Amino acid sequence: MAKQYWDFIDIGEAVTPMTKPPLTRVQIAKYAGAAQDYSPLHIDDDFAKTAGYGGVFAHSAISLGFALEAVSAWVENGRILRSEASFRKLVWPGDILTCKGVVVEKDEQNGEARVRIDVWSHNQNHDNVMQGKITLVLWRNDKEEKKLKALWPPLSPKTV
């Protein structure tokens, strides 16, 4: 993807959508390890079935992780400050998730050029599985980036 700069991003601009291959049980198990969340609902089919589910399902946050990946690929040279999400439906092994986003706000806080993006993920049935927001800090333009010669824009000490 190309670099994105605050001066040239418009409200309403779409993030390049990202469609992930079918989710595997191995990915779910790896996510459990990375998140240190070993709930048997995510790794033990018999337990999940006994609990009233058809089998194991993914951690909800995996859909936010995919959206963060899509935004990071689209921006390339930005720094993610914050993300939040609400999870709408369970994600199952075999689901194909598509992550999308749109720029909804540009502002400056603490001397930082910030962009807020509304993001969502839907499955192959077009069910919305996640709705969220991602806030980024961006370089204002390529001259600012070259002048400071850094990979990512600096953060102010006041960044929350």
Side-chain angles (χ1 to χ4, degrees), residues 116-136:
R116 195 180 97 228
I117 300 172
D118 281 356
V119 294
W120 59 95
S121 297
H122 63 264
N123 63 19
Q124 67 280 359
N125 300 319
H126 302 287
D127 296 325
N128 186 1
V129 300
M130 183 277 301
Q131 194 80 36
K133 298 175 185 178
I134 297 174
T135 303
L136 309 163

Side-chain angles (χ1 to χ4, degrees), residues 87-127:
F87 305 106
R88 311 286 182 166
K89 289 201 172 240
L90 294 178
V91 175
W92 301 95
D95 276 355
I96 299 169
L97 299 184
T98 299
C99 306
K100 296 182 179 183
V102 64
V103 176
V104 294
E105 186 178 331
K106 285 175 58 173
D107 68 351
E108 296 187 55
Q109 292 181 26
N110 305 323
E112 299 165 347
R114 295 184 181 192
V115 173
R116 195 180 97 228
I117 300 172
D118 281 356
V119 294
W120 59 95
S121 297
H122 63 264
N123 63 19
Q124 67 280 359
N125 300 319
H126 302 287
D127 296 325

Side-chain angles (χ1 to χ4, degrees), residues 10-11 24-25 33 42 61 68 73 83 89 110 114 125 140 154:
D10 295 317
I11 292 176
T24 68
R25 290 172 184 261
H42 304 300
L68 286 161
S83 65
K89 289 201 172 240
N110 305 323
R114 295 184 181 192
N125 300 319
R140 284 176 176 75

Side-chain angles (χ1 to χ4, degrees), residues 65-84:
F66 291 160
L68 286 161
E69 182 183 349
V71 169
S72 293
W74 177 70
V75 170
E76 185 181 310
N77 60 328
R79 188 185 294 247
I80 294 174
L81 287 180
R82 176 178 309 119
S83 65
E84 59 186 84

Side-chain angles (χ1 to χ4, degrees), residues 30-37 59:
K30 285 181 177 181
Y31 190 91
Q36 295 185 1
D37 178 356
H59 301 75

